[in-house]
Amino acid sequence: SCIDSFSFTLTEDQNTAVDEIIKDLHSSKIMYRLVQGEVGSGKTFVSIISLYANFLAGYQGTLMAPTEILARQHYESLKKQLEPFGVRVCVLYSAMDEEKKIKQMIANNEFDVIVGTHALFSQDVDYCKLGLVIADEQHRFGVRQRQALRNKGEFSDFILMSATPIPRTLASSLYGDMDVSSIASFPAGRKGCKTYLIRKNSVVDI
C-alpha cells in the first residue's frame, strides 16, 4: 500500500491523525479539520495518505500552497509517493508554460491530485469530481480564498495544515467548530526545528 512504501514508520500522532481523517472521509458529514504540528512532524505524509484515500474513493484532490516554490516541492513529493500507485499528479500555478493545457486536463479528469497556488481556485479552473481540499500553511490564505477553492466541489472535504501549534481549546475558539488533529511527536531520527533571534538582523532593539 501507499503507507508501506514509506521509508519510515508513522508516529502514533500521525497514525491518529490519519485515522481521524479516514473516519471523516467515510462519514456523511463534510470534513473541516485543522492538522497542526511543527515543521518536520510529518504533516506532509498525513496529507499524502489523505489524498490517496480520496483517490481510492474515486475523487480528485487538491493541495494548495502559499508560494510557487512550496507548491513545486509538494508536487515532487506527491509525485514520488503516489504515481507508483496509479495516481496522476500535476502542478498548477499562474503563468506556467502549460497552464491552459493543464486546466483542460483537470476538467477532463486526467489528473487525480492537483498541487498548486491560488491558481487552483481561479474562475476558469473546473474540476471533474473534487472531493478533498488541503490548504498548507492556512494562515497565509484568506477565508474567501479557501472557500472559493472548496466551492469548486459540491461536497468537498477540507483540511487546513498549520505549522503553528495552537492549544486545542484556543483552536476551537479561533476556528469555530473545526475538528483538530495535533502532531506533537517527530518521526524516528528526525530532529525538531529551533528558532533563533539574530540581534544584528533584527529591526527591533531588544
Side-chain angles (χ1 to χ4, degrees):
S1 69
C2 175
I3 298 178
D4 294 333
S5 70
F6 292 164
S7 59
F8 58 88
T9 302
L10 295 181
T11 64
E12 184 177 345
D13 288 343
Q14 285 176 309
N15 275 317
T16 298
V18 168
D19 288 344
E20 291 171 341
I21 290 170
I22 297 300
K23 183 178 179 181
D24 284 347
L25 291 175
H26 280 296
S27 171
S28 58
K29 74 171 186 177
I30 295 177
M31 171 170 55
Y32 192 50
R33 179 173 293 277
L34 169 68
V35 177
Q36 59 175 4
E38 294 183 20
V39 174
S41 62
K43 298 186 302 299
T44 298
F45 285 97
V46 170
S47 69
I48 289 174
I49 296 169
S50 302
L51 288 165
Y52 183 59
N54 180 69
F55 158 76
L56 292 177
Y59 292 93
Q60 288 178 310
T62 62
L63 175 59
M64 181 168 63
T67 65
E68 178 186 321
I69 293 177
L70 190 55
R72 293 192 65 83
Q73 290 176 346
H74 280 314
Y75 165 67
E76 294 299 334
S77 295
L78 288 164
K79 184 178 180 180
K80 177 182 177 181
Q81 296 293 340
L82 295 179
E83 280 198 342
F85 299 95
V87 183
R88 301 164 298 179
V89 185
C90 74
V91 64
L92 177 66
Y93 51 86
S94 299
M96 64 185 298
D97 293 338
E98 299 183 330
E99 182 179 359
K100 186 175 181 180
K101 178 182 178 181
I102 294 295
K103 289 178 179 178
Q104 186 60 55
M105 293 178 72
I106 292 172
N108 292 340
N109 199 27
E110 295 180 54
F111 287 114
D112 307 299
V113 172
I114 303 93
V115 187
T117 58
H118 60 277
L120 293 177
F121 54 81
S122 297
Q123 200 168 27
D124 61 343
V125 178
D126 295 313
Y127 297 90
C128 181
K129 196 177 181 184
L130 183 60
L132 177 62
V133 172
I134 301 178
D136 186 21
E137 294 295 342
Q138 94 286 351
H139 57 278
R140 299 193 189 185
F141 295 104
V143 174
R144 291 183 179 178
Q145 290 176 312
R146 297 196 300 267
Q147 191 62 43
L149 178 54
R150 187 179 179 188
N151 287 343
K152 294 287 186 177
E154 187 176 359
F155 299 108
S156 55
D157 292 307
F158 200 26
I159 297 175
L160 306 179
M161 311 285 283
S162 176
T164 306
I166 304 171
R168 188 176 296 269
T169 52
L170 178 58
S172 297
S173 298
L174 293 174
Y175 298 105
D177 58 354
M178 183 168 55
D179 296 313
V180 180
S181 294
S182 298
I183 304 176
S185 56
F186 289 84
R190 184 174 297 184
K191 298 180 179 179
C193 296
K194 293 184 178 181
T195 301
Y196 297 93
L197 170 66
I198 303 177
R199 293 177 182 274
K200 66 179 182 180
N201 291 344
S202 177
V203 296
V204 179
D205 185 16
I206 299 178

